[in-house]
Amino acid sequence: MANFKVKEIKGVIPAVLAVFNKDEEIDEEGTRLYIDYLLEQGVDGLYLTGSTGEAFLMDLTERKRYVEIVIDEVRKRVPVIVHIGDIGTKKSIKLAKHAYETGADAISSVPPFYWQFREENIFNYYFDIANSVPIPLIVYNIALAGILRLNIIKKISTIENVKGIKYTATTHDQISTIKDQIGQNFLIYSGCDEMAASGLINGADGIIGSFLSLMPELFITIYNAIQNNDLETAKAKQKDAIRIIEYSLHFDYFSVIRLGLKWMGIPGGYSRKPFKNYEGEEEKKIKKGFLDLKEKYQIEEVKFLDSL
């Protein structure tokens, strides 16, 4: 059963990695240590089994097991959103029911993808999932699965149990428009880490993203600065985030995030193939790149950089 009301699910919410061992199996002990680290940093919630969590590289049994481990470790300390999206409605409903029964506070889903479904199909997909469980559904708008246009977002928002959207797009003017046309109670989570400050300025209720898992302290500073109208601090810290992210994107960035966690002594695990994992000379090269970046731009108060 849910422990938090949807209106309480705001703030800095890392998109959680799936921690695998070198044999690509779920590392339960590593997962628990990683989750505890994030909670110790003061994050406001967790987003599980999404793109960052390599959900589509796991089967349904593995996705369910990962959710069980994390929710058990969280112990009701923060809200948990479980991404249950898949191409098929039947599979997504199975995951939604499991998330609800395990104790998730909300579910989320990308639209069905690959076959370029019509808007009627997408609406029906969300309608069926939203009506399969009593916890809130957060729509997931991301280019990887197909960006939803404003008119279909508005239509989906009329489904009783749809309470918000994870908006992973750079068209942040639409965040304000969605709030105006759907209502202030319709929650919006900005999902573009490079534009976290922009999303919040335009009315987002929180931020969800991959790099919040690596450097939650940086994004917490950005979030708090926006809440306190300290735009100078938000701007400076957002620039630091952009520089770090831009460098990371030269590689398989999930694996770079894992390296950053490892350098701090936090289990980040391994990515599943076909993603690449970096070791040996490649790892040394990546580390040197971060050291150069830190020195060039005088980046401060980012823990994984300070650990180098």
Side-chain angles (χ1 to χ4, degrees):
M1 301 295 289
N3 301 294
F4 295 87
K5 296 178 180 178
V6 67
K7 64 182 180 181
E8 298 176 290
I9 308 177
K10 297 182 177 181
V12 178
I13 304 172
V16 172
L17 293 164
V19 181
F20 300 114
N21 62 26
K22 207 163 188 175
D23 295 324
E24 299 192 16
E25 301 298 329
I26 293 173
D27 179 353
E28 179 172 344
E29 181 181 359
T31 298
R32 292 180 182 275
L33 291 170
Y34 162 57
I35 294 301
D36 281 342
Y37 169 75
L38 291 176
L39 296 180
E40 288 166 4
Q41 304 314 299
V43 301
D44 299 302
L46 297 172
Y47 188 96
L48 313 185
T49 54
S51 305
T52 308
E54 299 182 32
F56 301 117
L57 299 182
M58 291 194 279
D59 61 33
L60 295 192
T61 299
E62 290 172 321
R63 288 175 69 169
K64 290 178 180 179
R65 181 60 187 145
Y66 207 78
V67 168
E68 291 167 1
I69 293 168
V70 174
I71 289 180
D72 179 68
E73 191 62 28
V74 169
R75 299 192 302 276
K76 305 178 183 180
R77 287 177 281 179
V78 297
V80 175
I81 305 171
V82 176
H83 174 259
I84 51 82
D86 209 294
I87 300 177
T89 304
K90 183 177 181 180
K91 289 193 288 184
S92 295
I93 288 177
K94 285 182 179 180
L95 291 168
K97 289 181 176 179
H98 175 265
Y100 167 64
E101 292 164 359
T102 307
D105 298 286
I107 55 172
S108 180
S109 179
V110 293
F113 52 93
Y114 183 76
W115 276 294
Q116 297 183 338
F117 290 98
R118 292 180 292 116
E119 289 187 353
E120 179 184 5
N121 303 130
I122 295 169
F123 177 86
N124 290 337
Y125 171 82
Y126 282 118
F127 181 88
D128 291 339
I129 294 170
N131 283 282
S132 70
V133 290
I135 55 177
L137 170 61
I138 308 298
V139 178
Y140 189 174
N141 203 23
I142 183 171
L144 289 170
I147 291 292
L148 300 172
R149 294 184 298 167
L150 179 59
N151 68 319
I152 184 63
I153 294 172
K154 290 170 66 176
K155 186 176 180 181
I156 293 169
S157 75
T158 65
I159 300 170
E160 184 175 356
N161 216 24
V162 172
K163 300 298 183 182
I165 186 168
K166 181 178 184 289
Y167 194 85
T168 306
T170 58
T171 49
H172 282 182
D173 59 302
Q174 283 214 347
I175 292 176
S176 179
T177 301
I178 290 169
K179 284 286 189 180
D180 285 345
Q181 296 192 16
I182 296 178
Q184 297 302 309
N185 290 330
F186 188 76
L187 296 171
I188 302 178
Y189 306 95
S190 179
C192 182
D193 297 352
E194 300 92 323
M195 298 179 68
S198 170
L200 293 166
I201 288 170
N202 279 283
D205 300 282
I207 49 179
I208 300 175
S210 306
F211 284 90
L212 281 60
S213 276
L214 175 60
M215 41 191 182
E217 70 283 356
L218 181 58
F219 288 96
I220 289 171
T221 299
I222 291 170
Y223 180 82
N224 289 338
I226 296 296
Q227 304 311 304
N228 294 321
N229 293 315
D230 181 2
L231 298 185
E232 184 175 347
T233 296
K235 180 180 177 181
K237 294 300 183 181
Q238 184 69 74
K239 282 186 176 180
D240 287 345
I242 289 169
R243 289 159 179 155
I244 292 166
I245 294 168
E246 185 178 55
Y247 175 69
S248 301
L249 293 179
H250 287 90
F251 311 94
D252 286 358
Y253 68 90
F254 296 159
S255 299
V256 173
I257 292 172
R258 296 180 193 281
L259 286 179
L261 291 167
K262 184 181 80 170
W263 296 334
M264 293 188 289
I266 310 302
Y270 295 83
S271 298
R272 278 188 167 176
K273 294 178 181 179
F275 289 117
K276 184 176 183 179
N277 292 289
Y278 301 101
E279 300 176 300
E281 291 302 314
E282 286 184 310
E283 180 179 347
K284 290 178 182 178
K285 177 183 176 183
I286 293 170
K287 182 181 286 188
K288 183 180 185 302
F290 277 123
L291 283 168
D292 292 344
L293 197 71
K294 179 184 177 184
E295 181 179 353
K296 180 178 180 180
Y297 295 108
Q298 296 296 296
I299 300 175
E300 299 178 341
E301 299 178 337
V302 176
K303 292 181 180 179
F304 91 92
L305 292 182
D306 291 341
S307 73
L308 300 178

